[in-house]
């Protein structure tokens, strides 16, 4: 029987990896635990022509987007400085394609470590600056981002620590 490749490459955590209880103190942010009203909308990992194998990149961005959307919708942060990352729905929206490429996703997928570390160290540009498309081949989707997208990705780290 052929094993189905899910896109997750399992590797052991490294001592320098950020994990709850190591570098990040535990804190209850949403007492009822219901984050659904802050979830990103319209995210697709699989396109008509390709399966991106980027599940860990999408999950990493979804987590950051959900948390920042909560802060926006509850009036905890202003959006003026991060307006380029705000989409047409008023949601914070990072480029999943950018993070997948920059974190080293391959046709076999990626580890749990790489996308969060890439986001933490190099940031991520807005979705509208480096979107996916049904028309993309694997080569198109995983093209090296433009210098502008890479510079914009780094800029988000002026406003957030993605720990």
């Amino acid at each position: 029987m052929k094993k189905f490749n899910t896109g997750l490459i399992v590797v052991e955590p490294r001592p320098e990896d950020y994990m709850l209880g190591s570098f990040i103190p535990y804190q209850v942010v949403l007492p009822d635990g219901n984050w659904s009203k802050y979830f990103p909308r319209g995210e697709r990992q699989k396109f008509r022509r390709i399966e991106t194998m980027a599940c860990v990149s999408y999950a990493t961005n979804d987590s950051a987007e959900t948390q920042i959307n909560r802060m926006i919708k509850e009036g905890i942060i202003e959006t003026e400085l991060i307006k380029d990352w705000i989409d047409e729905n008023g949601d914070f929206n990072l480029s999943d394609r950018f993070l997948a490429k920059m974190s080293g996703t391959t046709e076999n997928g990626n580890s749990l470590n790489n996308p969060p570390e890439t986001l933490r160290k190099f940031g991520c540009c807005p979705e509208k600056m480096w979107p996916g498309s049904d028309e993309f081949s694997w080569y198109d989707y995983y093209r090296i981002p433009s210098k502008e997208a890479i510079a914009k990705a780094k800029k988000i780290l002026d406003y957030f620590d993605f720990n």
Side-chain angles (χ1 to χ4, degrees):
M1 181 185 319
K2 183 177 180 182
K3 184 178 176 187
F4 178 71
N5 184 347
T6 62
L8 173 63
I9 298 172
V10 179
V11 298
E12 289 298 316
R14 301 168 299 215
E16 66 272 14
D17 289 338
Y18 275 52
M19 293 182 289
L20 186 63
S22 59
F23 300 100
I24 307 168
Y26 179 77
Q27 177 185 3
V28 175
V29 175
L30 196 61
D32 70 2
N34 183 3
W35 289 88
S36 61
K37 61 186 168 188
Y38 308 114
F39 288 166
R41 296 175 258 185
E43 303 281 332
R44 289 187 344 176
Q45 175 183 326
K46 184 176 180 4
F47 292 89
R48 189 176 65 206
R49 295 180 63 194
I50 63 164
E51 161 58 62
T52 65
M53 301 304 282
C55 58
V56 185
S57 294
Y58 279 79
T60 297
N61 277 350
D62 285 355
S63 176
E65 291 163 347
T66 298
Q67 293 176 59
I68 293 169
N69 283 336
R70 180 192 68 84
M71 291 188 279
I72 291 168
K73 291 176 180 167
E74 292 185 4
I76 297 168
I77 60 172
E78 294 293 325
T79 59
E80 183 56 33
L81 295 175
I82 59 169
K83 66 183 176 206
D84 292 341
W85 285 266
I86 304 299
D87 67 17
E88 64 279 353
N89 297 315
D91 292 332
F92 185 76
N93 198 351
L94 299 166
S95 171
D96 304 295
R97 177 180 169 214
F98 180 92
L99 188 61
K101 172 60 180 176
M102 299 302 284
S103 65
T105 304
T106 69
E107 291 179 350
N108 291 319
N110 208 337
S111 73
L112 287 174
N113 312 51
N114 291 341
E117 283 298 300
T118 300
L119 179 60
R120 187 174 73 78
K121 293 176 182 173
F122 303 104
C124 193
C125 70
E127 176 70 27
K128 60 190 164 198
M129 187 174 210
W130 205 253
S133 167
D134 275 330
E135 301 309 312
F136 283 169
S137 66
W138 181 269
Y139 175 78
D140 294 326
Y141 191 87
Y142 283 103
R143 221 174 358 151
I144 296 171
S146 67
K147 289 179 183 174
E148 294 80 14
I150 292 169
K152 188 63 140 180
K154 198 76 166 158
K155 188 75 177 150
I156 196 64
L157 299 179
D158 292 345
Y159 313 118
F160 297 107
D161 290 324
F162 293 103
N163 293 335

